[in-house]
Amino acid sequence: MKKIHAEKYILFLFMVALALVYIVPFLMMGLGSFKNQAEAAKFDLSLPTQWIFSNYTHVLESGKIIPGYVNSLIVTVPVTLISVFLGAISGIVISRRNDKLSHGIYYYFIFGLTLTLQTASIFFLLQALHIYGTFLSVICIFISLRIPFTVMTFCSFVKGVPREIDEAAIMDGCNFWQMTLKVLMPILKPIMITNVVITAIDVWNNFMIPLFYLTKSSKCPVTLAIYNFYGQYARDWQYVFAALTLTVAPMIILFLCLQKYIVGGMTSGAVKG
């Protein structure tokens, strides 16, 4: 009994230490965004001697953060909606069929998780399609990268949903789309929200793909806006911290609001199927 309590205590201390690894940088960034230049450059967790809220005003006025927000939303929203919807439909169909074709398609999607981004070939493909440098090109790339993960998680979750629900819906006169949208989708809410949050965070925070495939500064998402802002204010860490806080705040709020569904969705997807 004492050994079990000791193991739980050690595990608790380990989890606290692991949490601090993630929390401390956010605290340093948040506190630093309200400090003056000298205090922010110390990179510590001390409270500001004077809370300078004008740092955020300066960043919003000179950092092009608002246009970056708009551009990030233009990319993030359609990628999230389309990839989650297509992943849900594919996951339902693949998990409900029990033949070699569906198994092959499933492993085809899983194979996509192992592939890396082929920068040069995608560049020539986008040029051939005359969409290089457009939001559409970046949206298509992100959707192709997110689909394998969404299909895998939806397949795992749907396999834990009794087939009797499908049969009852069909007996009540539902066609495929009615059964999917009105019957199964509400059941899939946990894994759906999990994929929404994970996809939104991944796309919102991505730096390399917009850097490679968006050519105009007017189309820069918030990550590139922060990159350009840092080049101008590399010594003014109070402004850099404020800009970074504005960048991560929407995704942190989204995660905190939906975290209970994320835990439920990932747990169900891990143990079912």
Side-chain angles (χ1 to χ4, degrees):
M1 185 66 67
K2 291 182 178 180
K3 183 179 180 180
I4 295 176
H5 284 298
E7 291 178 351
K8 289 183 177 180
Y9 184 72
I10 294 173
L11 179 61
F12 174 76
L13 292 178
F14 173 76
M15 297 304 295
V16 170
L18 184 62
L20 289 175
V21 171
Y22 290 93
I23 294 174
V24 168
F26 284 104
L27 289 176
M28 184 185 300
M29 178 180 66
L31 293 173
S33 66
F34 295 102
K35 297 179 179 180
N36 56 40
Q37 184 181 22
E39 291 179 337
K42 294 179 180 179
F43 299 98
D44 56 22
L45 297 177
S46 62
L47 295 175
T49 55
Q50 180 182 359
W51 295 79
I52 306 174
F53 293 91
S54 59
N55 291 341
Y56 285 91
T57 304
H58 178 80
V59 170
L60 291 173
E61 291 177 351
S62 60
K64 297 182 180 179
I65 302 298
I66 300 301
Y69 269 161
V70 174
N71 293 336
S72 291
L73 287 173
I74 291 175
V75 175
T76 303
V77 172
V79 170
T80 302
L81 294 179
I82 294 174
S83 62
V84 172
F85 178 76
L86 293 180
I89 298 300
S90 301
I92 291 171
V93 174
I94 292 173
S95 62
R96 286 310 195 221
R97 293 174 62 92
N98 190 22
D99 52 30
K100 293 183 179 180
L101 178 61
S102 61
H103 292 165
I105 294 174
Y106 174 76
Y107 288 112
Y108 172 78
F109 281 116
I110 296 302
F111 180 69
L113 292 171
T114 66
L115 299 179
T116 58
L117 184 66
Q118 304 299 315
T119 306
S121 58
I122 291 177
F123 171 78
F124 290 115
L125 175 62
L126 296 178
Q127 282 194 324
L129 297 174
H130 304 289
I131 59 174
Y132 176 71
T134 64
F135 286 124
L136 177 61
S137 64
V138 175
I139 290 172
C140 291
I141 293 172
F142 276 125
I143 291 175
S144 66
L145 293 175
R146 294 305 311 169
I147 282 292
F149 179 80
T150 56
V151 170
M152 180 190 69
T153 53
F154 274 105
C155 280
S156 299
F157 195 93
V158 173
K159 287 178 181 178
V161 178
R163 291 179 177 270
E164 288 77 7
I165 295 178
D166 302 18
E167 297 171 357
I170 294 174
M171 291 180 63
D172 287 338
C174 293
N175 57 34
F176 172 77
W177 291 108
Q178 289 174 330
M179 179 188 68
T180 301
L181 299 178
K182 296 182 179 181
V183 178
L184 292 179
M185 285 297 187
I187 301 175
L188 301 179
K189 183 178 179 180
I191 194 63
M192 189 177 301
I193 294 179
T194 299
N195 276 285
V196 166
V197 174
I198 294 176
T199 301
I201 292 176
D202 179 48
V203 176
W204 183 275
N205 292 334
N206 195 284
F207 175 79
M208 299 305 296
I209 291 177
L211 178 65
F212 290 151
Y213 301 110
L214 290 178
T215 55
K216 295 182 179 179
S217 59
S218 59
K219 295 181 179 180
C220 288
V222 68
T223 50
L224 290 183
I226 296 301
Y227 175 74
N228 296 329
F229 181 83
Y230 175 76
Q232 301 175 11
Y233 296 93
R235 296 179 180 271
D236 298 314
W237 281 100
Q238 73 279 19
Y239 297 142
V240 175
F241 285 145
L244 291 174
T245 302
L246 290 172
T247 302
V248 302
M251 294 299 106
I252 291 178
I253 293 173
L254 178 66
F255 176 80
L256 292 177
C257 292
L258 302 176
Q259 61 176 329
K260 63 178 182 179
Y261 297 104
I262 297 175
V263 174
M266 292 305 293
T267 302
S268 299
V271 300
K272 294 179 180 178

